[in-house]
Amino acid sequence: MPIKTYNKTNFHKYTFCIFKEVDFDSIKDLKLNFKSKSGSCYYFVENGVYRLSNHWSRVANCKWRLVSNSVVTLSAVEVPNSNRTKLGYANWVDFYHDNDVDKIYFLEANYESKSVNFYHKQSSNYTSDKVLRSSSETTKLIKQIRTLFEETAWAKYLNKDNIDVLRQEIIEEMISTNQSFQEIRRRFL
């Protein structure tokens, strides 16, 4: 199946994308091209789109995530509700087809920040050894992994001295196989 390309006419139709947060000054000389019913503003440029919004993640029929940039500053651009409103940029090539049925997502965990995120199989960090899952399978596994990061009761009867090492071993198994948490956990009893 050929890879679909996206542009200003179709990027908002069932897509996955990771926007990068940028400084508000990035749009100061741009013309607003579209404003959604929910108040998000879109500025189209040749290679991509800027999105000014106070909501990210599930957006209509899309999954759009914003990767934060801690050095973003406020500017002369008027930003409503600026404490929640963020400006993100994505290239057209960063939009990938999305649906809830196909196995198109994989997970990566960050053990320093104790977080987990999902990515599309068309992204540059995908390798064939990563297990692909559907949207609902991915959501379920993310919830389980977040619980492992936040709680310790699950490790009460397990044979391991260092819970952080155990946590990482179990999460890596959950991400890289189709085994359930219970199946993996039994090996450590």
Side-chain angles (χ1 to χ4, degrees):
M1 182 171 94
I3 295 175
K4 187 173 185 172
T5 56
Y6 291 94
N7 57 45
K8 63 185 175 182
T9 64
N10 65 355
F11 76 99
H12 59 280
K13 297 178 181 177
Y14 298 98
T15 58
F16 168 87
C17 186
I18 298 175
F19 285 74
K20 291 166 186 66
E21 188 175 8
V22 294
D23 191 283
F24 290 106
D25 280 339
S26 303
I27 58 172
K28 72 179 179 187
D29 296 327
L30 297 179
K31 179 185 122 218
L32 174 65
N33 295 102
F34 181 75
K35 187 170 185 174
S36 70
K37 292 177 187 175
S38 63
S40 298
C41 297
Y42 297 86
Y43 301 83
F44 304 137
V45 294
E46 183 177 343
N47 293 325
V49 60
Y50 290 93
R51 179 174 189 261
L52 182 67
S53 183
N54 65 0
H55 59 283
W56 295 86
S57 188
R58 273 235 184 242
V59 178
N61 55 34
C62 299
K63 295 178 187 86
W64 293 347
R65 184 164 65 239
L66 179 68
V67 174
S68 183
N69 177 358
S70 60
V71 297
V72 169
T73 59
L74 294 177
S75 71
V77 176
E78 187 176 325
V79 182
N81 301 327
S82 62
N83 59 337
R84 290 183 41 209
T85 300
K86 306 287 184 198
L87 179 64
Y89 175 79
N91 288 314
W92 298 124
V93 296
D94 296 330
F95 288 87
Y96 308 121
H97 177 70
D98 175 57
N99 68 54
D100 291 334
V101 179
D102 293 335
K103 294 179 183 278
I104 55 178
Y105 294 109
F106 66 94
L107 297 175
E108 288 186 351
N110 181 323
Y111 298 98
E112 286 181 27
S113 65
K114 294 186 176 186
S115 63
V116 60
N117 265 313
F118 66 103
Y119 299 88
H120 196 280
K121 71 178 183 178
Q122 287 178 251
S123 63
S124 61
N125 54 337
Y126 174 69
T127 55
S128 60
D129 62 324
K130 296 181 178 172
V131 174
L132 295 174
R133 295 177 172 83
S134 68
S135 182
S136 61
E137 293 168 334
T138 300
T139 301
K140 180 180 175 183
L141 191 53
I142 286 173
K143 287 178 183 176
Q144 291 175 333
I145 291 171
R146 285 181 178 158
T147 299
L148 291 177
F149 276 132
E150 295 167 5
E151 299 176 6
T152 58
W154 56 268
K156 187 174 182 179
Y157 299 106
L158 300 182
N159 295 325
K160 202 68 165 179
D161 294 331
N162 187 332
I163 192 168
D164 290 326
V165 171
L166 176 62
R167 179 182 285 121
Q168 185 169 343
E169 288 177 27
I170 290 175
I171 290 172
E172 283 302 313
E173 282 286 316
M174 292 172 73
I175 288 174
S176 63
T177 71
N178 283 314
Q179 293 180 341
S180 70
F181 168 69
Q182 294 303 332
E183 290 172 315
I184 296 166
R185 185 178 181 270
R186 273 189 219 114
R187 290 201 313 266
F188 295 96
L189 289 173

